[in-house]
Amino acid sequence: MKQYRNYINGEWRESARRFDDHNPVDGSVVAQVHEADRQAVDDAIRAGHAAITGDWGRTSPTERAALLNRIADEIDRRQADFLEAEMADTGKPFSMASTIDIPRGAANFRAFADLIKTTPLECFQTDLPNGAKALNYTVRKPLGVVGIISPWNLPLLLFTWKVAPALACGNAVVAKPSEETPGTATLLAEVMETVGLPPGVFNLVHGFGPNSAGEFITSHPDIDAITFTGESRTGTAIMHAAAEGVKPISFELGGKNAAIIFADCDFDRMLDGMMRAIFLNAGQVCLCSERVYVERPIYEKFCEALTQRVRDLRLGWPNDNDTQMGPLISAEHREKVLSYFQLAREEGARFLAGGGVPEFGDDRDNGYWVEPTVIADLSDNARCLTEEVFGPICHVAPFDTEAEVIARANNTRYGLAATTWTSNLDRAHRVSAAMNVGLSWVNSWFLRDLRTPFGGAGLSGIGREGGTHSLNFYSELTNVCIQLDPEPKT
Ligand code: NAD
C-alpha cells in the first residue's frame, strides 16, 4: 500500500496515526496517509523559522526565481506521476487533469518566478520647502512562516497557487493539502527534495481540520500568516484562530455564482461555455455557475438544448478518452449534494434532468457518483438558490430586463464570479461591471491570466491573490525614506 508521509525540515516523517485515501470512482483505497500531530506541526514551523534566519533568508529574487523554474520543470518531467496521483485522488477525467490541473501546477511556479524578478518596487521623491528632498523606496521582505491550507477540488493547482508566490517572496511554508487529496502535494514535496530546496523551506503536513494538522497550523503562535482556500464556514473558524495573533489572512472561499444569458448571444458558443461552467469537475469548482438566468425569448430553447446536452454527458473512468464527468470527491460530499437534490424537491423544483445516482453495473457503483442535474421553477430565495451546493447542478430561470437580472444575480451573500453572454458590446461592459464579484467573465468562463487579481467579495473571501496581489500578501513592505539635503551654498 502506498504511504503518504509528512515532509518536515527536509526529511520524510511517519506518523502512528494513519487514515485511508479513497479513489472516488470506485471507493477503493489508494494510499495510507500519515496524520501529522501537534509535535510534527510544531517541528515544521520551527524548521521554517530556522530556514529564514539561515541561508534561505539571504537568497535573492533571482536565485529564488531560478529555483521556482526548476520546480516547474520537474513537475513537467514527472507529469505522468502527477496525473496518476491526481486522478486516483479525485476521479477527475484525464482530459481535465492533463489540460488544467497539472499544467497549472507548473505554470504557477513559472508565473511567480517571472513576477518576482520583474515587479518594480515603489520609489517616490518628496520635495521639501527648504529645498531638501526625500527619497522614498520600498523594500520587499518575507512575512516569515506561512501556513497554507487548501481544498480538494483542484488540489495541485490551488496548492501551488499559494506555495509558489510564498516561496518567490522568500517565505518558508507549512502546507496542508486536503485530507481527501494528499497525493499530488506529496509528489510536490518529492520535487522540492529533488531540486534541492533547502531543508525547512517547504514543509508538508497531512491531516484534517479541527483538532488536527489544520487547526494546529492556524492556531500556532509562531505562524506568521495564513492563506486558506475552502468553505466559507471553515473561513470563520480560521479567522477566529488568526485573530489571536492578528495574523494576516488571505481567504478564497465559496461561491453561488450567476450566469446571465442574453437572447443576442452566440447560442452554440454559449451552450458549450455553459456546459463547462456548470459541469466541469462535476460542478466542484468554486467558480461554477449554479444560478443560470436566461432572457425569456430563448429560455425554452436553452432549457431544451441544455437538457439534451446533459443527457448526453458521458460519466466514466478517468482514463477513458470519452469521459466528460467524474464522481464527487467523497461519500460524505455525495450525501450533502443528494440532500440538496431532496431539498430542491421539497422546495418545489421541476427536474429537467438528473436528480439521482447513476447505475453502472460495475465497480463504479461503489464510488461517489451523482447524475448531472438541471432544475427550474424555484423562487430566488429558495435555499437551493442561496446556499452553495458544489456539485453538478444548476437552476435555470427566465428574466425580462437587464436591470432585473443584475439585481437578481447580485442578490446573494457570496461574491466570487459571474459570466455574461451577449453580443452587445455596451451591454457586456455594463452588466459585467455591475456584478458584485471578484471575477466577471464575458462570453467565457474560467479564463485566467495569472497576473490578474483573483478572489471574492462577501462570503467568498478576503483579499486578492494573483500577480502583484499575491506578492503583496506574501511580503512585508518597508518604506525607506532618506533625506537629501540641498548642496550647501558656497
Ligand atoms: P473545507 O473548508 O472543508 O476544507 C478546506 C481545507 O481546510 C482542508 O484542507 C481542511 O482539512 C481544512 N480545514 C477544515 N476545517 C479546518 C479548521 N477548522 N482549521 C484549519 N483547517 C481546516 O473545503 P473543501 O470541502 O475542501 O473545499 C470546497 C470548498 O472550497 C467550497 O466551498 C469551494 O467553493 C471552496 N473553494 C473556493 C475557491 C476559491 O478560490 N474561492 C477555490 C476552490 C474551492
Side-chain angles (χ1 to χ4, degrees):
M1 176 66 64
K2 210 178 257 182
Q3 305 289 313
Y4 290 147
R5 299 178 179 83
N6 304 288
Y7 184 69
I8 297 169
N9 201 19
E11 287 172 359
W12 293 96
R13 186 179 301 190
E14 303 206 334
S15 304
R17 273 167 73 120
R18 297 175 194 183
F19 59 92
D20 289 338
D21 175 25
H22 291 270
N23 183 334
V25 173
D26 57 8
S28 59
V29 176
V30 174
Q32 276 205 315
V33 191
H34 293 239
E35 184 181 353
D37 60 11
R38 205 181 278 277
Q39 182 64 52
V41 171
D42 202 50
D43 291 347
I45 293 173
R46 195 158 339 102
H49 282 292
I52 289 171
T53 48
D55 289 349
W56 179 247
R58 289 185 282 276
T59 52
S60 67
T62 309
E63 288 167 321
R64 295 197 297 271
L67 256 175
L68 262 56
N69 280 321
R70 276 177 23 221
I71 294 167
D73 292 346
E74 185 64 12
I75 294 173
D76 283 349
R77 198 185 66 76
R78 296 193 59 188
Q79 191 190 34
D81 299 338
F82 275 96
L83 277 169
E84 190 191 326
E86 190 84 325
M87 289 191 291
D89 273 358
T90 63
K92 65 179 59 178
F94 177 85
S95 57
M96 179 181 176
S98 62
T99 56
I100 298 179
D101 295 86
I102 309 306
R104 251 298 289 281
N108 285 338
F109 284 100
R110 293 201 174 97
F112 287 105
D114 286 349
L115 268 167
I116 198 64
K117 281 196 305 186
T118 54
T119 302
L121 291 165
E122 289 171 89
C123 184
F124 295 99
Q125 178 181 301
T126 316
D127 298 321
L128 303 175
N130 65 352
K133 299 178 193 312
L135 188 63
N136 295 270
Y137 63 94
T138 47
V139 177
R140 192 183 286 285
K141 293 187 293 199
L143 290 170
V145 182
V146 178
I148 295 178
I149 313 268
S150 67
W152 45 257
N153 61 326
L154 303 167
L156 184 70
L157 186 160
L158 292 170
F159 195 70
T160 52
W161 180 236
K162 296 176 182 302
V163 172
L167 298 188
C169 293
N171 298 282
V173 303
V174 177
K176 189 193 90 60
S178 167
E179 56 274 28
E180 306 287 357
T181 52
T184 49
T186 309
L187 288 178
L188 186 68
E190 291 180 14
V191 165
M192 301 298 185
E193 191 176 28
T194 307
V195 304
L197 198 73
V201 175
F202 173 87
N203 301 281
L204 172 76
V205 292
H206 289 298
F208 303 84
N211 201 26
S212 183
E215 191 184 310
F216 301 155
I217 295 173
T218 54
S219 62
H220 199 289
D222 297 333
I223 205 83
D224 295 301
I226 298 164
T227 174
F228 166 71
T229 298
E231 272 197 44
S232 303
R233 258 196 328 262
T234 313
T236 305
I238 293 179
M239 209 163 171
H240 276 293
E244 190 52 43
V246 202
K247 308 283 169 69
I249 49 172
S250 174
F251 281 177
E252 312 276 8
L253 308 177
K256 189 71 185 178
N257 310 305
I260 300 178
I261 300 167
F262 287 95
D264 63 10
C265 71
D266 175 335
F267 192 86
D268 294 338
R269 179 177 164 195
M270 174 277 296
L271 194 59
D272 286 344
M274 286 310 302
M275 284 300 291
R276 275 187 86 228
I278 302 164
F279 298 109
L280 185 75
N281 207 32
Q284 303 168 116
V285 178
C286 54
L287 310 163
C288 277
S289 308
E290 292 191 3
R291 298 181 293 142
V292 181
Y293 300 99
V294 188
E295 205 173 9
R296 200 173 297 275
I298 61 162
Y299 177 65
E300 290 303 333
K301 179 183 172 187
F302 175 77
C303 289
E304 270 171 39
L306 182 71
T307 306
Q308 191 52 51
R309 289 283 291 268
V310 169
R311 293 210 177 102
D312 293 344
L313 258 185
R314 288 183 296 273
L315 279 54
W317 298 93
N319 268 319
D320 273 358
N321 283 338
D322 284 351
T323 297
Q324 294 170 306
M325 196 183 106
L328 298 179
I329 191 69
S330 64
E332 188 191 355
H333 189 54
R334 180 165 74 164
E335 283 314 304
K336 177 185 160 189
V337 172
L338 288 176
S339 77
Y340 276 100
F341 288 1
Q342 179 56 25
L343 179 65
R345 286 188 187 92
E346 289 162 16
E347 290 187 312
R350 179 164 55 96
F351 279 70
L352 305 184
V357 172
E359 284 181 23
F360 298 101
D362 57 33
D363 288 348
R364 284 173 293 177
D365 291 334
N366 300 319
Y368 316 132
W369 300 79
V370 296
E371 291 174 338
T373 298
V374 180
I375 57 175
D377 296 353
L378 289 178
S379 71
D380 283 356
N381 56 6
R383 275 183 55 203
C384 284
L385 280 185
T386 55
E387 298 172 14
E388 182 186 48
V389 181
F390 215 55
I393 180 172
C394 76
H395 177 267
V396 287
F399 71 88
D400 293 300
T401 70
E402 191 180 304
E404 170 209 336
V405 78
I406 289 173
R408 290 171 73 187
N410 280 336
N411 182 20
T412 168
R413 296 185 66 206
Y414 290 96
L416 188 57
T419 170
T420 303
W421 297 82
T422 178
S423 57
N424 178 321
L425 187 60
D426 291 330
R427 176 186 277 151
H429 283 288
R430 271 195 314 268
V431 176
S432 56
M435 294 293 100
N436 295 332
V437 294
L439 303 136
S440 194
W441 280 288
V442 177
N443 297 332
S444 58
W445 177 80
F446 203 0
L447 189 57
R448 290 278 295 124
D449 181 317
L450 303 185
R451 296 166 298 186
T452 60
F454 181 97
L459 281 184
S460 294
I462 296 178
R464 295 291 181 272
E465 294 188 7
T468 51
H469 305 273
S470 291
L471 298 187
N472 287 341
F473 173 73
Y474 291 102
S475 52
E476 205 63 79
L477 296 177
T478 299
N479 184 63
V480 176
C481 177
I482 306 179
Q483 183 169 327
L484 308 170
D485 284 337
E487 227 175 289
K489 291 197 174 69
T490 49

